[in-house]
Amino acid sequence: MKPELSTADQAALTSGSDFWRTTAVESADLPAITVTDGPHGVRMQADGGDLLAGVPATCFPPAVASASTWDPELLRRMGEALGDECRAMDVAVLLGPGVNLKRSPLGGRNFEYFSEDPILTGVLATEWVLGLQSKGVGASLKHFAVNSQETDRMRVSADLDERPLREMYLRAFHRVVTRAQPWTVMCAYNKVNGTYASEHHWLLTEVLRDEWGFEGLVVSDWGAVVDRVAAVRAGLDLTMPGPDAAGDRALVDAVAAGTLDGGVLGTAAQRVHNLVLKAGTRESGSYDAAAHHALAREIAGRAIVLLKNDGDLLPLGGQSLAVLGEFARTPRYQGGGSSQITPTRLDDALTEITNSTSATVRFAAGYSADGDTGDEALLAEAAEAAAASDVALVFVGSVHETEGADRDSLDLPAAQLALIERVSAANPRTVVVLSNGAVLLTSPWEARVPAIVEGWLLGQAGGSALADVLFGRVNPSGRLAETIPVALADHPSFLDFPGEHGHVRYGEGVHVGYRGFDARGQAVSYPFGFGLSYTTFAYGTAEATASEAGVEIRVPVTNTGDRDGREVVQVYVGLPGSAVRRAPRELKAFANVPIAAGATAEVTLHVERADLAYWDTRLNRWVVEDGDYVIEVGASSRDIRATVTQRVTGDDARVPLTAESSVGEWFADPRGAELLGEVFASAAGSATAALTADPSMLMMLGSLPLSRMAMFPGSPFTAAEVEKLVLAAND
Ligand code: BGC
């Protein structure tokens, strides 16, 4: 940065000039750049236009759907396409992806987030960012961090221990930062353990920059900054939106008063400067809207999860059809809030289904346009159409999914439940097609219907993508990135969501999503990783090899049906007898493999050594434990097809012994056991010797810290001798 930039100019540079632009600095010849939402389309506000109605852009499938593809390559292509649209609209930074974990199925922004699993989230988001940034457009990885609910989102403190924080909530951020270097990271609104994310020095500086090596800029979420000086001090570079003259002044005053280091403000301003320069190298461009619509359709088709297909009712052939439910005609394809896109076009399932068959297609709305209300006349009309047709397709889904509010139930609206009931009674060959941004319960009605298609919110090409799957032009290969529970109360987060009085306690710890269901052996409707195909796959024997890099797993997978298909091969790892509480299995690798009918693919997957580690709160670092890791290869988290055990040599993770370490801990440590053994042996004939000869007494002694034992009459050592033992043990 030019040295002559005044403190006032530096301060001005660290806040926006309006809702979407940075501040230009004439004296430094620095223009303003434009940033905009994100994440599944470019929401470019028309000049002077309504904040939410943007310039038309491709509405790609929201993350709830793109994550269900489990296909990194598709995410990369989506990122590239978004980059092209940004270039066409002169957008320098697209505000996404959102990589917060789906802690609760009620989360209002779950449709914008990928998964309840951090590795699946991290792998997919990394590709999205690499794709976008390959076009010279920056990403904004959001919302850093622990922003997993909308209730009281601008104030609530997410209270959690360091293991779940590191192992679950920061893991995807870490992966994307270290592998894709997003140009920007957006801090969250909420507090983390009592401190606003925007003022969190540990998060924004110590972890993000010092530990992970983040080189970009930290931008605030819109309105997340409470105190500009505290934010800049913590490592926040750019406050949005702006202008914020009072905040700029507070920064200048704080530097003058010596309460804010001028160098820290200078660094923040420099980072904004660097971002503007980087954005300046971007070439403008154009994009092919038809090609992007086709890509949106491809991703959407791959995102659809076939949950149930009894008697191979799907794919459809030449049967006459009853298409029922307003959502077939008026699609639900995205959620509400800042991610809302004005699509370039919009496919609806009714038209696409009608165009896919020469057989009779009857339509009935079934419920009213709000999705929430219905009446006897609507139900009777739908039942009549169902009875007159070979197959009934019932389109139902959620109605309230928006930023700013969590849901309060996982149930379909009563009017839609009534429709399923009436239609399935009129025609046993009923297919339920869901449109929803987050989990809906299927347990209340799934036994009534032979087929269920989970259609998520699929973006602007969802209608054609659904027809592709229903008619078998696309063989479904989507897999659940989140568990569908039997009941909301079963969910690991249930008792601690969304908190109260400004705090939400992440009581389930590391047992988020399927980890919690599995740890408690709880039944679910559809497990994490689940999804059917129109073909079937058989797994051979899995083999594993450990190396310094981790574990390589090889497994042959055969398409045993008569249709080409894709299998998502999933690798879960567990460590029975671990020194820390772990889930029985955690996703560590996956591969999305096309396999022709009758063919066998030799699938190779890599579990990275770092992904086996847990965060040790005593050593304050990651530790790979020594042990026999159970590696399960499966078609879902509850459909394990091959298991192999692999020994992994652990890290050197000796915890130093102290006077507060217990007798048991001393004996568990080789050096400690040697030293303490000598002391106990020298006390032969004493009361201690008698005690240690009695196994049950020895067990009781095991929990006694040495410092406390020293105070007992007859102790074989004094407090002073304990100090010597500690020195000798850690020498
Ligand atoms: C959202 C962000 C978004 C920003 C700008 C905020 O309300 O939390 O995700 O990028 O607005 O629209």
Side-chain angles (χ1 to χ4, degrees), residues 341-353:
I341 300 299
T342 304
T344 57
R345 57 181 265 202
L346 183 58
D347 296 347
D348 68 90
L350 177 58
T351 305
E352 301 299 327
I353 288 169

Side-chain angles (χ1 to χ4, degrees), residues 20 37 109 142-143 153 186 189 221-222 338 403:
W20 305 116
D37 286 303
R109 287 184 96 170
K142 66 191 188 182
H143 308 88
R153 67 170 174 162
M186 184 190 292
Y189 283 133
D221 197 347
W222 270 230
S338 63
E403 176 178 341

Side-chain angles (χ1 to χ4, degrees), residues 317-323 353-354 357-363 385 388-391 471:
Q319 307 101 317
S320 62
L321 303 172
V323 177
I353 288 169
T354 308
T357 178
S358 51
T360 305
V361 176
R362 299 177 177 84
F363 172 74
S389 307
D390 295 329
V391 176
F471 286 92

Side-chain angles (χ1 to χ4, degrees), residues 37-43 52-55 57-65 108 110-112 327 330-347 398-403 435-438 455-462:
D37 286 303
H40 48 265
V42 186
R43 185 169 64 88
L52 284 182
V55 172
T58 310
C59 180
F60 287 97
V64 61
N110 280 9
F111 70 92
E112 279 189 74
F327 291 162
T330 314
R332 262 190 68 61
Y333 63 102
Q334 63 177 333
S338 63
S339 67
Q340 216 166 301
I341 300 299
T342 304
T344 57
R345 57 181 265 202
L346 183 58
D347 296 347
S398 56
V399 284
H400 304 297
E401 268 147 336
T402 182
E403 176 178 341
S435 297
N436 48 310
W456 305 122
L457 301 179
L458 290 171
Q460 68 179 45

Side-chain angles (χ1 to χ4, degrees), residues 140-155:
S140 196
L141 189 67
K142 66 191 188 182
H143 308 88
F144 192 59
V146 210
N147 183 189
S148 292
Q149 71 181 54
E150 295 299 284
T151 305
D152 201 17
R153 67 170 174 162
M154 298 191 77
R155 301 178 307 187

